[in-house]
Amino acid sequence: MAQQDSVRIEAITQEGRSERPSDRSRRVAEARAKFRAIRLPYPRQDELVAALDELRLTGQLSKGQTQGGVRLIADTGSGKTVGAERFKAYVEAAGEHTPGSQPVVIATVDGSGTTRSIPASILKAMGVPRPEHGAEPVLWMRAFDALERHETQLLIIDEFNRAARRPTMSSAIATALRDVMDRGIVPMAFLATEEARDVFRRSPDLAGRLDAPVTMDPLDWLVEEDRDLFESFVSGLDDQLVELRILRTSSGFAIPKTAQTLCEASNGNIRQLCRIIETALAAVVRRDDPAIGIDDLADAVEDWSIANHCISYNPFREK
C-alpha cells in the first residue's frame, strides 16, 4: 500500500499539481526508511562473520572448558554492529538451535562505564525483566543463569570502548568478563573503537585469552582491492535505489570520478558514505527529481559531513 501511495503522489507531482507539505514529508520519510533498510554484501563484514562463527563453533566443541574470545577494533561506522547483526540472523536462520533459545546475544555497553552495567546490558539484550534489578553480584548471577538457560553459544559485547571512559573501572570490567570465559559459560566477542585498546592494554589476562584481532579498516581508494570493493558497494546502492522505486533513474555512483570523490568525502567509511547519500536522497525526493546529481552530493557533504566534522573540506567542490 505504501508503494502504491508513493506512485500516486509521484504522478500528482509530475503533472504539476500542488502537493501538500505533509505529502512531501511522507515521501521523504518513506524514501529514507527504504534506504536504511537496504542491506548489501560487504566483504569486510564477511571476515567478521567468519571469525564469529569459528569462535561459536569452537565453543560448542569445548563446552564447560575455558572459553576464548575475539576482538574487532575499528572506527565508528565501519560496519561492526551491522556485521554482528548479520551473523546473529545467519545463526538463527540456520535453525540448528533449540526453539526458544538465544544462540547469539549482542549486548551493548551503556555509557556509565561501571562493572554493574555489563551484566545489566546482557540481561537487557536477552529481554530479561528488570535487567538492572539487584546488586552487582546478583546481576552477574542472573546473567550467568540467563546465558546458560537460553543456551547461548556466543556473547557479543558491542561498544566495549565505553569501558575505557572510567579508567578506574575498566580493569574490573575486563576481569569480570574474563571470569565469564574462565567459567566456561560462553565464548565472547568484543566490538569497539580505538579507545578500547587501553582496556586491553591494562588487562593482559583478558587480551591473552583472545584470538588474533579481526580488522575492518576504512577503504583506501589507492588500494586496488579496496577500490573494487567501494565501487561494487556504491553500484549496489545505486541499483537498489532504482529497484526499490525510491528513485526513477540511476545516479551513477560507480562512475570512477564520482566513486573516487565519494570515497574521499566519506573517508572510506561505509556509515559516512550512507549518510552522505541519504542526505542527498532526501533533497532529491523532496524536489521529486529522478536521480541524485553531483551537486546534490556536494551539498550533502556540506550539510552532513562538514557539519558533523567528519571532513574539513568538500572534495566535490574542489575538483
Side-chain angles (χ1 to χ4, degrees):
M1 181 61 72
Q3 190 176 58
Q4 292 175 349
D5 288 344
S6 179
V7 173
R8 179 181 62 79
I9 293 169
E10 178 182 302
I12 292 174
T13 54
Q14 285 181 329
E15 290 170 8
R17 286 188 258 166
S18 62
E19 180 184 25
R20 292 179 302 175
S22 60
D23 289 338
R24 183 168 58 250
S25 296
R26 181 173 293 279
R27 278 195 298 114
V28 174
E30 288 176 352
R32 284 182 179 272
K34 288 181 180 179
F35 178 78
R36 293 180 184 182
I38 293 173
R39 293 290 182 267
L40 295 174
Y42 184 49
R44 294 283 173 84
Q45 289 177 353
D46 294 342
E47 296 171 13
L48 172 60
V49 168
L52 294 177
D53 207 24
E54 289 173 6
L55 181 62
R56 177 183 71 92
L57 293 172
T58 301
Q60 288 293 96
L61 296 172
S62 56
K63 283 185 177 180
Q65 302 175 31
T66 298
Q67 295 297 306
V70 69
R71 58 181 158 172
L72 167 60
I73 295 179
D75 293 342
T76 298
S78 59
K80 302 184 297 295
T81 302
V82 174
E85 290 170 347
R86 274 185 56 199
F87 172 70
K88 183 175 186 291
Y90 154 74
V91 173
E92 291 175 348
E96 298 176 353
H97 55 283
T98 305
S101 65
Q102 297 185 36
V104 178
V105 172
I106 303 175
T108 302
V109 178
D110 68 24
S112 66
T114 65
T115 50
R116 189 177 185 280
S117 70
I118 303 299
S121 298
I122 296 170
L123 292 167
K124 182 178 179 181
M126 301 186 76
V128 177
R130 300 197 297 171
E132 298 181 354
H133 180 70
E136 183 181 332
V138 174
L139 286 175
W140 275 114
M141 292 308 297
R142 291 178 64 201
F144 295 159
D145 176 69
L147 290 167
E148 292 178 330
R149 184 160 33 88
H150 291 284
E151 301 177 7
T152 301
Q153 301 170 13
L154 180 65
L155 173 60
I156 300 174
I157 304 294
D158 198 8
E159 299 289 356
F160 186 63
N161 43 285
R162 292 174 178 170
R165 292 180 180 176
R166 296 178 65 176
T168 56
M169 289 288 177
S170 60
S171 294
I173 290 173
T175 299
L177 291 171
R178 183 205 65 195
D179 289 346
V180 176
M181 291 187 286
D182 286 354
R183 286 170 178 252
I185 295 172
V186 67
M188 303 177 68
F190 301 89
L191 310 185
T193 60
E194 288 289 330
E195 294 173 90
R197 291 192 187 278
D198 288 339
V199 180
F200 292 115
R201 217 175 274 124
R202 289 193 291 267
S203 309
D205 284 348
L206 175 62
R209 286 164 170 74
L210 306 181
D211 296 339
V214 180
T215 58
M216 197 178 282
D217 296 328
L219 299 175
D220 185 343
W221 186 262
L222 299 179
V223 176
E224 184 177 0
E225 181 182 353
D226 286 8
R227 183 167 61 249
D228 291 345
L229 198 163
F230 191 87
E231 288 180 332
S232 175
F233 191 84
V234 294
S235 178
L237 283 178
D238 202 356
D239 291 343
Q240 285 291 295
L241 286 171
V242 177
E243 288 179 18
L244 296 174
R245 303 182 71 177
I246 302 172
L247 295 175
R248 296 190 290 279
T249 61
S250 170
S251 300
F253 297 150
I255 294 172
K257 184 177 180 181
T258 302
Q260 181 178 2
T261 311
L262 274 171
C263 189
E264 183 178 350
S266 65
N267 298 302
N269 181 291
I270 293 300
R271 180 183 295 174
Q272 290 183 36
L273 167 70
C274 290
R275 292 312 303 263
I276 291 170
I277 292 177
E278 183 182 336
T279 302
L281 173 66
V284 166
V285 172
R286 199 172 290 120
R287 298 194 310 262
D288 195 33
D289 284 353
I292 295 172
I294 295 298
D295 286 343
D296 299 310
L297 294 173
D299 290 343
V301 171
E302 294 283 348
D303 295 342
W304 192 85
S305 303
I306 293 177
N308 284 292
H309 310 290
C310 295
I311 193 169
S312 60
Y313 65 100
N314 193 333
F316 285 100
R317 302 289 192 212
E318 300 190 7
K319 292 187 181 296

